Amino acid sequence: MPSWRTTLTAADINGAGLRADYTAAARRVLRREQAPYLALRLLAAPPLVPYLAAGLAFMNLVDDTAETGTPEQRAEGLRALTARVEEALDSGRSGDPVLRAYAHAVTVRGLPAHWVSDFLAGAATAEADFTGFGTEQDFEAYLDAYAWPGVVVFTGLQYRGGPDPEAAAGWRRFVAAAQRVDFLADLAGDLAAGRLCIPRERLAEHGVTRAELERGQDGPAVRALLADQCGRARAALTAAADVVQLADPGLRAVGRMMTELMAHQLTAVERAGAGALRKDVGYGLLAPLRILARARRTRTA
């Protein structure tokens, strides 16, 4: 793995101040999400790594603001953050090194600004006010308003000029799969926090109540509901498989690892059955290391 200094140079990021800004963004990612950071550093082409690290740091900053505090605090925090982001994108100036690095990345890589504004708008509505989904259409609207732009403000930096329509659609399929798997894997924690991410219409179809899920109750109806949701997630993963080929060659190993990790986690959810209502389903320790090693061998073959 090349040093961080070498990686910055490979990305043509020069000047002490700018390099410090990108370093601060990368450190934020490392503190919050060690696995994605290591995947980028070990698998992505060095000229892409600093830009993607800045994008991931920005995505996490918006997520954290949208999920922290009371509804009023989240709304105010997002209003203030949106103003700061707009200033950084317009002028390149900001008191936050993450925003300075991200504004530079957006400019250099030519990411269309609408992805950023769409993400911030979705954070203020679809995410900050999230209470669950009534229908599958509500879930799809959530993806379009928040989750899809949130992925593109990060992954879109791999493409000069931003993703073309085919690539953007591929990342839309990817985020649909990622959200379905994530919602199932985090079902226990979400229920404990008062959130239910399975559309209520699906509970009604299977004759299951939210109270039964909150109690971690097992039974044929609950198992059928969870099997239905796992089936939908599995179909979404299959539909998203082409994202690896739609990625820049320098990011394909990362895309391959991400899709394999999701498939592994979904298998763990399927095995857990109703146990997923009582304990979140993680990746485990050994499987991610095996998948990372396999992706690295593929990259260097």
Side-chain angles (χ1 to χ4, degrees):
M1 179 175 67
S3 70
W4 180 245
R5 289 182 179 181
T6 301
T7 300
L8 289 171
T9 301
D12 200 25
I13 296 170
N14 301 302
L18 190 59
R19 290 167 75 95
D21 290 343
Y22 275 92
T23 300
R27 285 174 176 164
R28 190 186 199 284
V29 175
L30 180 58
R31 287 194 301 271
R32 188 183 187 274
E33 294 194 273
Q34 290 87 355
Y37 176 82
L38 289 175
L40 282 176
R41 293 285 280 118
L42 290 170
L43 299 176
L48 293 176
V49 170
Y51 300 114
L52 292 166
L56 187 51
F58 172 71
M59 183 182 76
N60 289 339
L61 174 61
V62 176
D63 280 345
D64 291 345
T65 305
E67 296 173 359
T68 302
T70 65
E72 294 76 14
Q73 289 171 329
R74 294 197 295 269
E76 178 54 37
L78 286 166
R79 280 194 293 270
L81 178 58
T82 297
R84 291 162 53 209
V85 171
E86 290 174 348
E87 178 186 8
L89 292 177
D90 288 344
S91 68
R93 295 190 297 273
S94 174
D96 186 339
V98 170
L99 294 186
R100 291 196 301 267
Y102 185 65
H104 179 266
V106 168
T107 299
V108 170
R109 302 298 296 178
L111 182 70
H114 78 83
W115 289 109
V116 181
S117 58
D118 288 350
F119 180 44
L120 289 165
T125 54
E127 180 66 6
D129 296 334
F130 180 75
T131 58
F133 307 116
T135 66
E136 283 287 337
Q137 287 72 28
D138 293 336
F139 169 69
E140 297 293 337
Y142 174 87
L143 296 182
D144 287 332
Y146 181 65
W148 184 25
V151 165
V152 176
V153 297
F154 156 44
T155 62
L157 294 168
Q158 69 188 284
Y159 311 101
R160 287 198 177 274
D164 63 23
E166 183 182 12
W171 287 104
R172 172 60 168 75
R173 293 189 294 274
F174 174 86
V175 78
Q179 288 286 197
R180 287 188 183 277
V181 174
D182 187 61
F183 286 156
L184 286 167
D186 294 345
L187 193 52
D190 283 341
L191 286 167
R195 296 186 298 272
L196 175 61
C197 298
I198 298 175
R200 293 186 293 276
E201 69 175 2
R202 299 302 176 200
L203 272 66
E205 287 175 2
H206 290 276
V208 174
T209 67
R210 177 170 179 155
E212 289 173 325
L213 299 181
E214 290 173 338
R215 292 196 299 267
Q217 185 170 320
D218 199 351
V222 169
R223 289 196 294 271
L225 169 67
L226 294 176
D228 170 74
Q229 292 300 300
C230 287
R232 292 173 185 274
R234 185 69 65 183
L237 271 175
T238 299
D242 65 341
V243 76
V244 173
Q245 293 307 314
L246 292 171
D248 181 274
L251 199 65
R252 286 176 187 166
V254 177
R256 190 173 294 111
M257 178 182 177
M258 292 164 67
T259 54
E260 288 190 24
L261 273 176
M262 286 194 295
H264 166 77
Q265 191 171 32
L266 179 56
T267 298
V269 171
E270 291 167 337
R271 289 174 179 164
L277 300 172
R278 297 182 287 273
K279 182 180 178 181
D280 284 349
V281 179
Y283 294 114
L285 177 61
L286 295 180
L289 293 176
R290 286 196 298 267
I291 292 170
L292 175 61
R294 186 162 57 246
R296 187 159 174 78
R297 286 196 301 271
T298 302
R299 177 179 178 269
T300 58

